[in-house]
Amino acid sequence: MKQAFLLTFLLALALCGCTQQNPVLTVSGGRIQGVPAGTPEVLVFKGIPYAAPPVGELRWQAPQPVTPWEGVHVCDTFGPIAPQPGNKPGTFYGDEFYWEGTPEESEDCLYLNVWAPAATVGKPDAKLPVALWFHGGAYMNGYGYEVTMDGEAWARRGVILVTTNYRLGALGFLSHPALTAEQGQSGNYGTMDQIAALQWVHDNIAAFGGNPDQVTIFGQSAGAVSVKTLLAAPAACKLIAGAIIQSGGGLDTRGLSPVNDVPQAFYDAQGQEVMDKAGLETLTDLRSATTESLLQAGGWFSPHLDGKVLTDTFEDAVLHGPAGQIPVLIGYNKDDMGMLGGASVDRFCEVRDSLGHPVYEYEFLRELPTDEAHPASAAGAFHSAELWYMFGTLDRSWRPFTEADHALSERMLDAWTSFCRTGNPGWPAYKKTAPYKELFDIEE
């Protein structure tokens, strides 16, 4: 009997310890609890809603406050992703990143994910630095928990990582005369989602042990352009402590970032043309159309200056706005495309230095290894290649990475998380008189 009592007592203590290491948190909308990540030292909270589902009458509206829920929501499942064409197997990126296909797609997609050290969850006084990730995908594809993306290695380094979904394609960025008549402007719904996610982090991250005043935003490709856009957005810039821009270009990148000489009417006409082809004209038509018909309508949509959500270009924000005061880490991959790297990034660094603001530049040079089963995939230091390294997810890839690759990944993780903690990745700032650029390659 005594032995049975002792076992029961020890089990109760163990369960109590687990509860203390995995507390129930209160966030916007209700109570949540995370689950252990790959190791029990890190908790992950998957699929936290940060806004109401943008469906029905909320399609093509600014994100609304999250719908409250009852009880404790155990965050053990990632949420649906934004509807998208996807990268199919048999294509380069399909075979590189999406060989298992894509998860469930739904217009109810406004969810984010948090990785945090278990020891600091529920302890607001911990005040850990925070990183908020915006995925790429040309504003048409992507989601916040792609195979490359994980926050465990970040949390082990004392940085809370948040990844998020946002509306894509026509559902995220369509402008249309009927929508502009209703709202005074239209488009930029995906950008508003990103701002809402940033605001959610600011309002709730202390519950996870994070510092709401030390939030670094970062992204790659369209995610990097999103970072540039948010640096110029009045509602977002005030919430940003640092920014990392990966393969999103610097200055002089017309066509990548919003410009200031194209009126709203141009974007309305662009959207009208696409919707006309789909046989959709009125607001009733637009909001009652199926998701599939909107995807099939085609068109390419992205953020633009609307005088409300976005009022300044990235260039103006850098030269004249508060974004100039925010530390920036910027770089690109050796085999990136066009304006995504090279001269445009160097130009940005030169301007930042001339204004007396800190900026740190890098270039990713590692040409990824391949094997006999994938001979066509040896594509050098291609666009997005650094993601395996920067998230520490090399083991999820089919590529035959070496110990040197893992060492390179550790080096990048140390640099990125150091920047989030201190505003310095661990190498000299770029100076026009001493244009330092950190190079990331393996050491044979």
Side-chain angles (χ1 to χ4, degrees), residues 110-156:
L110 301 185
Y111 297 89
L112 51 75
N113 318 292
V114 180
W115 286 262
T120 59
V121 170
K123 298 179 180 178
D125 292 339
K127 292 190 178 299
L128 297 181
V130 183
L132 172 58
W133 169 258
F134 297 108
H135 67 79
Y139 296 112
M140 296 188 297
N141 291 311
Y143 49 99
Y145 53 97
E146 296 177 25
V147 65
T148 55
M149 301 167 192
D150 191 276
E152 186 174 345
W154 288 66
R156 289 202 307 267

Side-chain angles (χ1 to χ4, degrees), residues 281-305:
E281 296 184 5
T282 68
L283 274 178
T284 300
D285 292 338
L286 292 170
R287 291 201 168 110
S288 62
T290 66
T291 304
E292 292 72 20
S293 67
L294 295 172
L295 284 176
Q296 292 169 3
W300 184 76
F301 306 94
S302 62
H304 69 274
L305 297 192

Side-chain angles (χ1 to χ4, degrees), residues 101-350:
T102 53
E104 175 191 357
E105 298 178 19
S106 172
E107 290 188 54
D108 177 8
C109 62
L110 301 185
Y111 297 89
L112 51 75
N113 318 292
V114 180
W115 286 262
T120 59
V121 170
K123 298 179 180 178
D125 292 339
K127 292 190 178 299
L128 297 181
V130 183
L132 172 58
W133 169 258
F134 297 108
H135 67 79
Y139 296 112
M140 296 188 297
N141 291 311
Y143 49 99
Y145 53 97
E146 296 177 25
V147 65
T148 55
M149 301 167 192
D150 191 276
E152 186 174 345
W154 288 66
R156 289 202 307 267
R157 287 167 169 78
V159 177
I160 294 174
L161 181 72
V162 184
T163 71
T164 187
N165 299 338
Y166 53 93
R167 283 174 280 182
L168 300 170
L171 289 162
F173 297 95
L174 175 76
S175 288
H176 190 277
L179 292 169
T180 297
E182 177 189 66
Q183 301 165 21
Q185 48 76 228
S186 61
N188 294 328
Y189 305 104
T191 299
M192 286 187 266
D193 295 342
Q194 294 172 342
I195 296 172
L198 178 58
Q199 186 67 59
W200 188 97
V201 170
H202 183 269
D203 295 343
N204 294 281
I205 205 64
F208 301 83
N211 184 351
D213 297 321
Q214 195 176 1
V215 178
T216 296
I217 64 171
F218 71 132
Q220 182 266 347
S221 193
V225 178
S226 295
V227 169
K228 294 166 66 176
T229 301
L230 294 175
L231 287 171
C237 187
K238 62 185 180 181
L239 304 175
I240 301 168
I244 303 175
I245 302 168
Q246 299 174 215
S247 301
L251 294 180
D252 308 318
T253 55
R254 186 181 181 89
L256 286 180
S257 303
V259 294
N260 58 12
D261 57 355
V262 181
Q264 176 72 42
F266 170 85
Y267 300 102
D268 286 352
Q270 187 182 54
Q272 177 81 63
E273 180 180 359
V274 173
M275 293 299 100
D276 283 350
K277 291 179 181 178
L280 305 171
E281 296 184 5
T282 68
L283 274 178
T284 300
D285 292 338
L286 292 170
R287 291 201 168 110
S288 62
T290 66
T291 304
E292 292 72 20
S293 67
L294 295 172
L295 284 176
Q296 292 169 3
W300 184 76
F301 306 94
S302 62
H304 69 274
L305 297 192
D306 59 8
K308 185 178 178 181
V309 179
L310 298 177
T311 57
D312 292 310
T313 65
F314 174 66
E315 285 76 7
D316 286 340
V318 169
L319 293 171
H320 311 296
Q325 307 298 322
I326 297 172
V328 174
L329 168 60
I330 187 169
Y332 54 94
N333 294 358
K334 176 175 66 69
D335 297 319
D336 262 329
M337 303 163 282
M339 295 181 290
L340 299 178
S344 73
V345 173
D346 293 341
R347 166 73 174 148
F348 170 77
C349 293
E350 290 175 2

Side-chain angles (χ1 to χ4, degrees), residues 14-30:
L15 290 173
C16 180
C18 291
T19 301
Q20 290 175 348
Q21 286 297 307
N22 190 5
V24 173
L25 309 181
T26 298
V27 298
S28 299

